[in-house]
Amino acid sequence: DVDKITICMDAKHKTAKNIFLKKDFTVSMADVKNMTAADYVGIVSANDVPDKLEKTGWHVTKSEFVDAPVFEELPMTLECKMLTFDEETELMTAEIVNICVDESILGENGKIDLNKFQPIAYDSCNHAYVVLGSKVGNAFKDGFALK
């Protein structure tokens, strides 16, 4: 389903405990501009450093759609309601009830422009962050050349 997300969530994290309590959460997409702060919140536990968000300089507002925070500096956020959590695999499935997108990452066509957004992804082979954005082909079209 296009309105679902599945993530791996360590049940010992403070974030997980909050999700289990409220059943709501947000997933924000980090960008190049916020890479250092995003890495920091990933490596420091709120169980050990309760004020970790203050060090990022991020500002938090409450979502209009779920009982969870939205980080104003991160340009894209999925607002979600938890559906299931498998304790053995630590996989959580949720329904995406809203998507917040900052207008600064939209192109002239009103759609997300990856060159403006500059989202980052984790490269686990090289323990690095990589930026996404360069178009390399046309989805559901270029493969027809092999038909």
Side-chain angles (χ1 to χ4, degrees), residues 6-65:
T6 300
I7 58 175
C8 187
M9 174 68 66
D10 185 336
K12 295 182 291 281
H13 287 216
K14 185 172 183 179
T15 298
K17 292 174 185 171
N18 288 338
I19 294 170
F20 298 146
L21 179 68
K22 297 181 178 190
K23 307 295 186 215
D24 290 351
F25 64 99
T26 57
V27 177
S28 297
M29 310 302 164
D31 57 358
V32 170
K33 186 169 69 174
N34 288 286
M35 183 211 52
T36 301
D39 188 56
Y40 173 76
V41 298
I43 59 176
V44 174
S45 172
N47 290 324
D48 301 325
V49 183
D51 65 343
K52 76 178 192 176
L53 283 181
E54 289 178 26
K55 292 187 183 212
T56 66
W58 290 349
H59 300 90
V60 178
T61 57
K62 186 185 177 308
S63 162
E64 294 180 33
F65 297 89

Side-chain angles (χ1 to χ4, degrees), residues 4 7 19 32-33 39 52 62 64-65 69 76-77 90 96 98 102 111 115-116 120 126 129 136 143:
K4 306 282 188 298
I7 58 175
I19 294 170
V32 170
K33 186 169 69 174
D39 188 56
K52 76 178 192 176
K62 186 185 177 308
E64 294 180 33
F65 297 89
M76 182 176 170
T77 300
E90 295 188 318
I96 301 167
N98 188 56
D102 190 281
K111 296 182 181 180
N115 292 311
K116 288 182 175 185
I120 59 172
N126 297 296
Y129 295 111
V136 296

Side-chain angles (χ1 to χ4, degrees), residues 95-106:
E95 175 187 13
I96 301 167
V97 297
N98 188 56
I99 302 173
C100 292
V101 177
D102 190 281
E103 289 184 10
S104 68
I105 66 170
L106 298 179

Side-chain angles (χ1 to χ4, degrees), residues 89-146:
T89 63
E90 295 188 318
L91 290 177
M92 180 182 298
T93 302
E95 175 187 13
I96 301 167
V97 297
N98 188 56
I99 302 173
C100 292
V101 177
D102 190 281
E103 289 184 10
S104 68
I105 66 170
L106 298 179
E108 291 180 12
N109 62 2
K111 296 182 181 180
I112 294 172
D113 179 332
L114 291 180
N115 292 311
K116 288 182 175 185
F117 183 5
Q118 295 189 301
I120 59 172
Y122 175 59
D123 172 0
S124 61
C125 293
N126 297 296
H127 297 285
Y129 295 111
V130 295
V131 65
L132 307 176
S134 298
K135 181 177 177 180
V136 296
N138 298 293
F140 310 109
K141 181 179 179 188
D142 292 348
F144 284 112
L146 300 178

